[in-house]
């Protein structure tokens, strides 16, 4: 496998700070529930939560839409549901990457039935070229080409999540 750096650690950290400022303008001092989509959002969620201050809580949901590890499928499975009741709460879904839009569309529809006060999305990465379903993303870090990327929480077969930067992964 060949890793070609795409976004540096410094660029990521700068962007996370910018996103935190945008998010803070929307929520102000109101409590917000950061809903991390496991496992890819773990690094982004941790860095973002530290920049948002003291009035955040966190929960996690795990969904699966990658059948073979690299190609998104049309089937979305909930593997771990929320532990917190979100009714009446401001909820910010924290996603690592939005490509086809299928997972996020499904997740938004599911969570909306639970009657949150508000439901918004912060995604570190967006692949507009890969989009099959239009879905709303209120806070986007970087728009990237339709390439398979790893690092900063994103993986291939559970590897490369720990990289502090984002890289394109290609076969040898």
């Amino acid at each position: 496998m060949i890793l070609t750096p795409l976004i540096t650690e410094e660029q990521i950290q700068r962007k996370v700070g910018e996103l935190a400022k945008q998010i803070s303008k929307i929520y102000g001092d109101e409590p917000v529930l950061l809903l991390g989509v496991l496992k890819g959002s773990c690094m982004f969620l941790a860095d973002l939560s530290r920049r948002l201050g003291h009035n955040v809580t966190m929960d996690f949901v795990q969904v699966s839409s990658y059948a073979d590890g690299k190609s998104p499928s049309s089937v979305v499975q909930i593997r771990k549901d929320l532990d917190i009741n979100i009714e009446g709460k401001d909820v910010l879904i924290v996603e690592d990457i939005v490509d086809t839009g299928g997972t996020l569309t499904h997740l938004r529809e599911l969570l909306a039935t639970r009657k949150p006060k508000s439901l918004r999305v912060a995604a570190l990465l967006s692949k507009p070229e890969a989009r099959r379903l239009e879905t709303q993303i209120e806070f986007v870090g970087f728009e990237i080409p339709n390439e398979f990327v790893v690092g900063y929480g994103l993986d291939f077969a559970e590897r490369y999540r720990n990289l502090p930067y984002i890289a394109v992964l290609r076969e040898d």
Side-chain angles (χ1 to χ4, degrees):
M1 297 289 187
I2 298 171
L3 292 172
T4 306
L6 181 65
I7 304 169
T8 68
E9 180 178 7
E10 295 76 21
Q11 289 171 309
I12 292 169
Q13 293 307 316
R14 189 169 38 254
K15 185 60 74 174
V16 171
E18 291 169 12
L19 290 171
K21 287 179 184 174
Q22 293 172 22
I23 291 164
S24 293
K25 285 181 184 175
I26 299 294
Y27 295 108
D29 291 330
E30 293 296 313
V32 62
L33 170 65
L34 302 180
L35 178 58
V37 181
L38 292 173
K39 298 179 186 172
S41 72
C42 61
M43 305 292 189
F44 180 38
L45 177 75
D47 287 343
L48 184 63
S49 69
R50 284 190 287 267
R51 288 177 171 89
L52 288 175
H54 67 281
N55 215 0
V56 299
T57 54
M58 289 184 260
D59 199 357
F60 299 90
V61 64
Q62 187 173 19
V63 296
S64 177
S65 62
Y66 282 77
D68 65 3
K70 280 184 92 172
S71 305
S73 75
S74 59
V75 178
V76 177
Q77 298 175 330
I78 301 292
R79 292 193 171 177
K80 184 227 174 285
D81 207 341
L82 298 169
D83 294 325
I84 297 174
N85 178 359
I86 64 170
E87 186 172 345
K89 295 184 183 340
D90 286 313
V91 177
L92 180 65
I93 300 170
V94 180
E95 266 280 26
D96 54 353
I97 188 166
V98 178
D99 44 33
T100 66
T103 301
L104 185 56
T105 297
H106 179 79
L107 191 55
R108 267 189 180 275
E109 289 170 357
L110 172 69
L111 296 175
T113 67
R114 299 178 185 186
K115 302 180 181 143
K117 178 180 174 184
S118 69
L119 186 59
R120 293 181 177 94
V121 175
L124 181 66
L125 305 174
S126 175
K127 289 185 188 178
E129 294 171 31
R131 203 85 75 238
R132 291 185 205 145
L133 293 172
E134 284 309 312
T135 189
Q136 189 172 356
I137 309 168
E138 287 80 2
F139 308 99
V140 176
F142 301 94
E143 286 192 354
I144 63 169
N146 193 13
E147 300 270 4
F148 191 82
V149 293
V150 295
Y152 196 67
L154 293 111
D155 76 303
F156 173 65
E158 297 300 325
R159 293 186 59 212
Y160 308 110
R161 287 189 198 280
N162 61 324
L163 297 175
Y165 58 90
I166 298 195
V168 174
L169 181 69
R170 292 194 179 95
E171 308 259 345
D172 293 318

